[in-house]
Amino acid sequence: MPNEAALLDKNASGASGVTTAPKPTGAPAAKEDVLFRMRTELARALKKNPRERRWVMVIDQRRCIGCHACTVACMAENKLPPGVVYRPVVIKEVGMYPKVTMTFLPRPCMQCENPPCTEVCPVHATYTNKEGIVVMDYDQCIGCRACIAACPYGARTFDYGHAHTDNTPEVGGMILGRNTADNYERDANVEYGKKRERKGHSSPVGNVRKCHFCLHRLMAGILPACTTTCIGRATYFGDAADPDSLVSELINHPNIVRLKEELGTAPRVYYIA
Amino acid sequence: MNKKSAYIVGIITLLIGLWGFYDRFAYGHDHAAYGSVVVWGLWVALYFLFGGLAVGCFLWASLDLLFEIPACKGTGVKALWAALITLTAALIAIAFDLGHMERFWKVLLQPNLHAGVAEDAWGYTIFGGLTAIALFRAVNQKGKDGVLKVIMVLGLVVSLYVAGAPGKLMGVNAARSFWHAGMLPVQFLFFALATGAALLMVILTFADKKEKLESSLSILHPAAIILLGINLYFTWSYFSQGIAGGMPGIMLPAQEIVSGQYSGLFWGVQIMLGGIVPIVVLALNGKNNNIPLSGLMGLCILLGNGVSRYLILVAGQKVEMLPGMSQAVHGPGLTLTYSPSTSEWAVASGLVGLVILGLLIGADLLLPMFTKSRQEA
Ligand code: SF4
Ligand code: SF4
């Protein structure tokens, strides 16, 4: 089994240009886990030309237990500040008392094939990259928020520069308080393979942010953080252009739906309802 | 209100604004109330209002400087100056709203010209340039000026385009059905014309005795009545259709405005104070051009139109993109509620102060020049 921590470290210390897929060598027990299959398929996909693969995510709503682990994993992976959310889980109550149940809808960016968000960007700061993923160029974004208004899925949020440790009191001479507590918040994340410390008003503060299918992990041969963290194994990820992949199998079932399909956005996120 | 009191109001509002400007520069968007759900708030509404005012003023200036309508003689320069001042306020408002205002140049030099924001930026830049040239030529005009006419024709075309551009900026968002209406840009054009007329009515109140130009009011008043009537008709069709259609994406924001949280602002300020009252007062006033009353009605129209932009803008964003989204996410800026923060109001006050002082100082400096050049001609 590949050592994810080691791969992440490698990624963090020199993220850009990491393209080598790990060679999965799982133990027999791990082979039974669907993650193992997806990881093998990911390695296979990374050997292809980027334009020949089609990344998709499939979310099985029947298996989601609404634990929000994916939301938290995403926050940790991308060091998201308060107010910036890439993958909330929308909870809906269904039925009437006493026959009440709940449905859970994890909502990453749909990575639309016809994304309305990119069309409205006045400076080409958000676009579909060669992997087919809708990405942000933080250094180009002027922060007009037109893309937030255009997204039909509410998948974009603005980074207003808040910190989880805002208003934490300081105690003089002690290892307490904001200046120490927020070190981890200032540390760089590696979104898009580039280290960015949160300093003052520099990007991504003042920019719109969104889910990118953990592109930096993918390029290192690691599945998105939400996928590996999902304890219900309700999130699947892979290359739909590979007919033997798990996601290919899943999206060909008749009970597959995509959100707001009538808008013609052609999401790359599918739901099994 | 005399000119002195207007200067005092201008200075006070600008002083309040200076604190808002400082707050914006020192703390970024920290103290703003808009967020990631309601992303555009008071400053964008002011951008729409001032941008519309600029265009409206230019269109009114064309009656004097292009079509040479005798009753409007002398209003052209004032209107062009007002267009420049309000355009400046509009651009400051939108620059303050940007997450990275220092990158504003990218919209001009690296634009995606399919995007509404870039279209607006280029449109207003060209419009501002044409207005400045037209003003320069009009102020220095000696006799017939063919170049001025050409500039005014070009400006007219660009004005018609930029007048509707904010409507397009909102209307392209197919995900927001409340905005996604083909007639939104047209509405903005009529709003612009009405506010332009209203601002001129206010400006003429403060003109010197010999420059009262009362004859132009005989055009502005009936025009304002007709334009307000058209605006009320647009408002009726927009909201009645939206509510009767029953589609939640349109109906809920429309109801929020007509019978919900914003009903007081809608009925009290937009419809009554900014629509029905000026129509009735200006109609009853008839040919008796009561100038102070005309200025007061101009202010009412400006207020009503400002509120109408704000309501359309904000209510259209108070919609969940997916049912339950607002419950799923918590944190700053992730709420469906919005009311402008103190710092947003302070900046708004500063922009109003800038416009008041800009208009007064401009009129005091420009009018003598203008009169002199006309007398020499
Ligand atoms: S879900 Fe929204 S942000 Fe993501 S690609 Fe589609 S329109 Fe863009
Ligand atoms: S906020 Fe940034 S990415 Fe979004 S439309 Fe504006 S410039 Fe483009």
Side-chain angles (χ1 to χ4, degrees):
Chain A
M1 189 157 171
N3 182 341
E4 278 199 11
L7 281 164
L8 276 170
D9 281 343
K10 184 183 168 193
N11 188 42
S13 58
S16 57
V18 182
T19 51
T20 323
K23 286 197 174 61
T25 53
K31 278 187 183 170
E32 287 159 26
D33 192 320
V34 74
L35 280 181
F36 184 83
R37 176 176 173 186
M38 288 191 284
R39 204 174 286 138
T40 310
E41 291 169 359
L42 175 61
R44 196 159 69 222
L46 285 172
K47 290 191 182 121
K48 291 165 55 178
N49 184 317
R51 295 194 193 282
E52 285 168 11
R53 47 194 182 226
R54 182 169 173 269
W55 300 120
V56 305
M57 186 172 280
V58 182
I59 298 171
D60 189 343
Q61 278 189 275
R62 301 165 309 180
R63 296 179 69 100
C64 175
I65 58 166
C67 67
H68 300 273
C70 54
T71 311
V72 176
C74 174
M75 288 176 70
E77 175 67 28
N78 296 298
K79 291 186 174 291
L80 302 183
V84 177
V85 190
Y86 288 176
R87 187 179 157 112
V89 178
V90 181
I91 301 175
K92 204 161 102 189
E93 223 175 77
V94 187
M96 297 250 294
Y97 179 82
K99 292 188 174 170
V100 184
T101 183
M102 279 182 163
T103 63
F104 307 104
L105 184 100
R107 196 250 42 217
C109 166
M110 300 290 129
Q111 310 296 353
C112 307
E113 286 181 36
N114 303 316
C117 57
T118 58
E119 295 293 309
V120 298
C121 177
V123 290
H124 304 286
T126 184
Y127 56 92
T128 305
N129 76 358
K130 63 181 191 311
E131 298 284 339
I133 291 175
V134 176
V135 294
M136 284 294 308
D137 179 345
Y138 288 144
D139 297 317
Q140 180 72 2
C141 173
I142 60 169
C144 68
R145 309 187 292 284
C147 52
I148 302 185
C151 171
Y153 305 97
R156 289 174 170 256
T157 43
F158 190 75
D159 190 336
Y160 283 93
H162 298 297
H164 294 280
T165 47
D166 276 346
N167 303 323
T168 305
E170 279 295 321
V171 182
M174 302 188 74
I175 315 169
L176 281 174
R178 168 122 202 236
N179 275 340
T180 310
D182 74 351
N183 278 349
Y184 78 94
E185 294 201 70
R186 284 192 294 245
D187 280 351
N189 70 5
V190 288
E191 280 183 291
Y192 305 112
K194 183 173 175 187
K195 285 183 169 188
R196 282 180 192 275
E197 282 174 39
R198 285 179 73 75
K199 269 193 300 201
H201 192 63
S202 57
S203 289
V205 174
N207 293 136
V208 165
R209 302 180 63 177
K210 65 179 284 296
C211 154
H212 35 67
F213 273 180
C214 279
L215 198 51
H216 56 284
R217 288 171 60 109
L218 290 188
M219 293 303 103
I222 314 172
L223 290 164
C226 54
T227 309
T228 52
T229 315
C230 177
I231 61 167
R233 295 291 183 262
T235 298
Y236 312 104
F237 184 85
D239 173 20
D242 174 356
D244 299 325
S245 68
L246 173 64
V247 290
S248 285
E249 278 172 29
L250 292 172
I251 65 173
N252 286 324
H253 279 143
N255 60 339
I256 276 281
V257 289
R258 293 191 289 181
L259 299 181
K260 299 191 180 185
E261 201 150 10
E262 71 283 2
L263 291 176
T265 48
R268 284 171 183 247
V269 174
Y270 296 77
Y271 290 88
I272 304 175
Chain B
M1 191 193 266
N2 58 23
K3 213 181 238 184
K4 198 173 152 197
S5 340
Y7 267 108
I8 292 172
V9 171
I11 290 168
I12 292 173
T13 46
L14 182 59
L15 284 177
I16 296 171
L18 290 180
W19 172 74
F21 297 166
Y22 162 77
D23 190 73
R24 169 65 185 86
F25 283 114
Y27 299 101
H29 295 260
D30 270 7
H31 301 150
Y34 45 77
S36 291
V37 180
V38 178
V39 288
W40 292 331
L42 182 63
W43 295 345
V44 176
L46 285 173
Y47 164 65
F48 289 167
L49 175 68
F50 288 132
L53 267 170
V55 173
C57 288
F58 189 97
L59 293 171
W60 284 107
S62 69
L63 294 187
D64 176 19
L65 301 173
L66 179 62
F67 301 110
E68 297 183 353
I69 293 174
C72 295
K73 193 167 167 56
T75 53
V77 169
K78 290 185 184 67
L80 285 182
W81 177 251
L84 270 190
I85 293 295
T86 46
L87 178 65
T88 308
L91 294 180
I92 296 175
I94 202 63
F96 276 18
D97 190 73
L98 296 180
H100 282 277
M101 71 170 113
E102 76 283 1
R103 296 180 188 164
F104 186 73
W105 61 270
K106 286 177 185 274
V107 188
L108 295 174
L109 299 184
Q110 298 168 357
N112 166 17
L113 286 174
H114 299 297
V117 174
E119 281 182 27
D120 273 20
W122 265 104
Y124 280 126
T125 303
I126 295 170
F127 170 78
L130 290 170
T131 309
I133 298 170
L135 180 64
F136 178 77
R137 292 206 74 99
V139 165
N140 296 296
Q141 194 180 11
K142 297 186 182 80
K144 294 265 180 224
D145 183 351
V147 177
L148 175 61
K149 289 270 187 289
V150 174
I151 301 288
M152 289 305 292
V153 170
L154 290 175
L156 193 69
V157 176
V158 177
S159 298
L160 290 174
Y161 171 70
V162 288
K168 185 182 162 196
L169 183 69
M170 295 199 282
V172 291
N173 295 302
R176 297 182 185 269
S177 357
F178 184 59
W179 291 347
H180 191 50
M183 68 176 178
L184 205 57
V186 188
Q187 271 194 37
F188 270 73
L189 170 63
F190 283 95
F191 279 133
L193 281 167
T195 48
L199 187 61
L200 285 182
M201 283 155 58
V202 177
I203 290 171
L204 293 179
T205 314
F206 296 103
D208 292 334
K209 195 83 184 150
K210 61 182 182 320
E211 294 291 342
K212 281 288 185 207
L213 306 166
E214 293 176 24
S215 61
S216 54
L217 293 181
S218 61
I219 298 260
L220 286 173
H221 286 179
I225 293 173
I226 293 170
L227 290 167
L228 289 177
I230 294 173
N231 284 347
L232 284 175
Y233 182 79
F234 271 133
T235 307
W236 166 78
S237 71
Y238 200 73
F239 285 94
S240 61
Q241 186 177 299
I243 291 172
M247 298 293 286
I250 311 177
M251 186 183 68
L252 294 178
Q255 280 178 337
E256 182 95 342
I257 293 175
V258 173
S259 54
Q261 186 193 350
Y262 299 120
S263 57
L265 273 180
F266 177 73
W267 291 109
V269 183
Q270 181 181 335
I271 300 294
M272 286 306 292
L273 202 61
I276 293 171
V277 170
I279 289 178
V280 172
V281 170
L282 293 177
L284 290 179
N285 208 19
K287 286 207 182 325
N288 169 29
N289 282 334
N290 179 336
I291 291 175
L293 192 64
S294 168
L296 186 63
M297 289 305 103
L299 280 180
C300 289
I301 298 171
L302 290 177
L303 195 63
N305 276 274
V307 165
S308 81
R309 313 287 159 106
Y310 176 82
L311 294 184
I312 281 200
L313 179 74
V314 172
Q317 297 170 81
K318 296 177 78 173
V319 184
E320 286 185 317
M321 286 289 113
L322 294 172
M325 271 285 289
S326 56
Q327 300 301 317
V329 288
H330 297 279
L334 296 175
T335 153
L336 281 170
T337 58
Y338 169 75
S339 50
S341 65
T342 317
S343 111
E344 285 173 75
W345 279 119
V347 167
S349 162
L351 294 175
V352 170
L354 273 180
V355 169
I356 296 175
L357 293 178
L359 290 176
L360 289 169
I361 293 169
D364 284 347
L365 292 176
L366 276 175
L367 269 177
M369 275 197 288
F370 161 73
T371 314
K372 204 171 139 216
S373 63
R374 280 288 166 103
Q375 278 164 355
E376 284 168 5

